[in-house]
Amino acid sequence: METVVSGIRPTGNLHLGNYFGAVKNFLKMQENFNCYFFIADYHSLTTHPHPADLHGNVRQILAEYLAAGLDPEKATIYIQSDLPEVAELTLLMNMNAYLGELERTTSFKDKARKQPENVNAGLLTYPVLMASDIIIHQASKVPVGKDQEQNLEMTRKFANRFNRIYETDYFTIPQPFNFGESLIKIPGLDGSGKMGKSEGNGIFLAEEPASIRKKVMKAVTDSGPTVPDSPVSEPVQNLFTIMEVVSQKEVLDQFKEDYAKCIIRYGDLKKKLAEDIINFTAPIREKINAIAADDAYLRKVAQMGKEKAHASASKTVKEVREIIGFKPF
Ligand code: TYM
C-alpha cells in the first residue's frame, strides 16, 4: 500500500484554502492509503509563536482535523514535535543541503522580507525539515496546495541526492498530489493572491455565519463588465474559483453566463456564495467545539498517533544511520 504524508502548521484556524488544497484529499486518501497526517509545530517555530499560545494552537488544529473527518482508526494523526526522530533526520539531511539553493527558495525570500528582524536559520532550512517529515515515512504521495510545490521539489531533490551520495535507492521519491490532478490555489477575498492564515483574507472552517456573510459581502470585485464576453477580471475570477469548490456547477455557470452578458449582479453573487460557504462549513463548525473540549479524546488520538508514527520513523532513522556509516561499538 502506498504511503501518504502531509502536515499543516498550527499558526491559526484552518481556512478554505487548507481544506480544499489539503484536507479534502486527506479525507479521501485515508480510505485507501497508509496515511500520516501531522501538525507541523516545529515548523511554526520559525515565526516564534509565544510559548503560551503554542499548545492551544496545536489542540485547535487537532480538533479541526477530527471535526473535518480525519479518522484516527484509518490514518496516523500526530504532532510533529512528538517525533524527535524528525529532528535527527533533519540534522543528517542538512549536511547535503546547500546554502545557495536554500537561499533561493521563494518561501525563504518571502519570509525574509516579511520578518527582516527574524531571519533565523530555521527559516533557511525549512525545506529540509519538510523533506524529513515526508521521507521519514517513505511517502510516495504528498497531498498539498499549489503553494507547496517548490518545497516538494526540494524534497525530491534532497531524497535523490541522498540516494546518489550513498549509492542506494533507499529513499522513495515523493510526488505532490491532488485528486483533481493539478495542485490548487484558493484565492483570498481581497482581489489578488492566495487565501492565507497570515494574509488576513481567510474564511475559516470554525467561522460563524454572520462573520462569513460580512466578509463575503465586502469581497473585492470590479466595476462590472461593459463589453459582452470580455475576459473575467482577477477579483471576480477569484470569487468564481471559490464558488467552484462550494457551489453547484449550474449556479456557477449561471453567474458566468450573466457576466458574459454584462447582466451579473455582484450582490446576488456574493449572497449566494456566502450561503454556500456557510452550508459547507456548518457541519464541521458544529463539531469543532465539542471535540476541542474533549481533553481525554484529544490525548488518546495524539498518543495513538505518536506511537504509530514513532514505529515508522525510528525504523527509517536506524537504517539511515547504518547507510551513513554510524556503527555501534
Ligand atoms: P500550511 O500550514 O501553510 O498549509 C497547509 C496546507 O494547506 C494548503 N494551502 C492551500 N491550498 C490551496 N489554496 C490555499 N490558499 C492554501 N493555503 C494553504 C497548503 O498547500 C498545505 O498543503 N510547509 C507546509 C506544512 C508542512 C508540510 C510538511 C506539508 C510541513 N511539513 C510535509 C506537507 C508535507 C505549510 O506551511 O503548510
Side-chain angles (χ1 to χ4, degrees):
M1 195 193 283
E2 276 187 278
T3 296
V4 171
V5 169
S6 196
I8 296 187
R9 276 172 308 143
T11 47
N13 295 40
L14 295 186
H15 54 64
L16 294 180
N18 298 134
Y19 186 88
F20 290 103
V23 177
K24 188 174 176 201
N25 286 312
F26 298 2
L27 297 176
K28 271 204 205 174
M29 293 178 106
Q30 69 180 350
E31 304 298 332
N32 299 312
F33 296 94
N34 175 32
C35 291
Y36 294 88
F37 298 127
F38 65 95
I39 299 170
D41 56 349
Y42 278 149
H43 273 116
S44 75
L45 298 183
T46 56
T47 50
H48 291 187
H50 199 278
D53 298 334
L54 189 57
H55 183 69
N57 291 343
V58 171
R59 262 182 78 91
Q60 181 67 22
I61 300 290
L62 183 57
E64 293 186 355
Y65 266 176
L66 296 165
L70 284 199
D71 182 346
E73 301 294 335
K74 294 178 178 164
T76 301
I77 303 170
Y78 66 97
I79 318 300
Q80 187 186 32
S81 64
D82 274 341
L83 217 58
E85 292 89 346
V86 166
E88 179 171 357
L89 185 58
T90 302
L91 181 139
L92 301 174
M93 296 302 289
N94 265 338
M95 307 303 166
N96 303 320
Y98 300 110
L99 183 59
E101 64 192 350
L102 295 172
E103 280 176 336
R104 281 192 299 276
T105 315
T106 316
S107 52
F108 174 69
K109 288 194 279 188
D110 278 356
K111 271 283 175 337
R113 211 173 24 243
K114 278 190 195 151
Q115 52 182 66
E117 73 300 341
N118 181 17
V119 187
N120 58 71
L123 279 178
L124 186 71
T125 58
Y126 188 110
V128 188
L129 177 54
M130 181 155 160
S132 302
D133 290 327
I134 296 168
I135 63 178
I136 205 160
H137 301 301
Q138 299 280 15
S140 54
K141 288 190 164 58
V142 185
V144 283
K146 182 123 185 86
D147 59 321
Q148 296 299 314
E149 209 163 30
Q150 191 178 32
N151 281 334
L152 252 292
E153 263 168 47
M154 303 287 279
T155 297
R156 293 165 57 79
K157 187 188 269 185
F158 297 145
N160 269 315
R161 190 177 290 156
F162 180 96
N163 287 352
R164 206 174 51 248
I165 290 175
Y166 293 103
E167 296 177 355
T168 170
D169 56 3
Y170 182 70
F171 278 124
T172 305
I173 311 300
Q175 296 276 3
F177 185 81
N178 173 37
F179 275 105
E181 306 224 325
S182 58
L183 302 184
I184 66 159
K185 178 180 99 174
I186 300 294
L189 295 172
D190 45 0
S192 65
K194 67 158 189 158
M195 185 175 289
K197 294 189 197 108
S198 52
E199 332 297 328
N201 63 4
I203 293 188
F204 300 95
L205 300 181
E207 194 155 347
E208 293 296 328
S211 168
I212 294 179
R213 276 190 201 103
K214 204 164 145 194
K215 282 187 184 170
V216 176
M217 294 317 285
K218 280 205 296 204
V220 176
T221 52
D222 56 22
S223 52
T226 47
V227 181
D229 295 318
S230 49
V232 180
S233 68
E234 189 184 353
V236 175
Q237 180 54 50
N238 287 350
L239 300 187
F240 286 168
T241 302
I242 302 177
M243 203 162 224
E244 215 163 277
V245 292
V246 294
S247 303
Q248 306 268 5
K249 185 172 179 308
E250 306 79 69
V251 171
L252 175 60
D253 288 347
Q254 186 63 55
F255 281 112
K256 282 185 173 166
E257 199 182 315
D258 291 352
Y259 189 95
K261 290 183 184 154
C262 303
I263 55 169
I264 189 163
R265 289 153 56 132
Y266 290 140
D268 294 347
L269 170 72
K270 289 175 173 180
K271 262 192 215 137
K272 180 66 183 150
L273 179 59
E275 290 321 303
D276 286 347
I277 293 174
I278 291 165
N279 283 335
F280 173 77
T281 52
I284 302 176
R285 189 188 73 246
E286 283 158 14
K287 288 188 203 136
I288 293 174
N289 288 346
I291 296 177
D294 192 345
D295 270 334
Y297 179 55
L298 293 178
R299 201 174 310 119
K300 191 174 135 207
V301 170
Q303 186 59 33
M304 228 167 89
K306 176 178 167 173
E307 283 165 21
K308 286 204 257 173
H310 171 71
S312 149
S314 60
K315 176 174 181 289
T316 304
V317 169
K318 182 170 171 286
E319 289 167 352
V320 167
R321 292 177 69 106
E322 279 164 18
I323 292 170
I324 285 180
F326 292 139
K327 279 204 176 99
F329 279 92

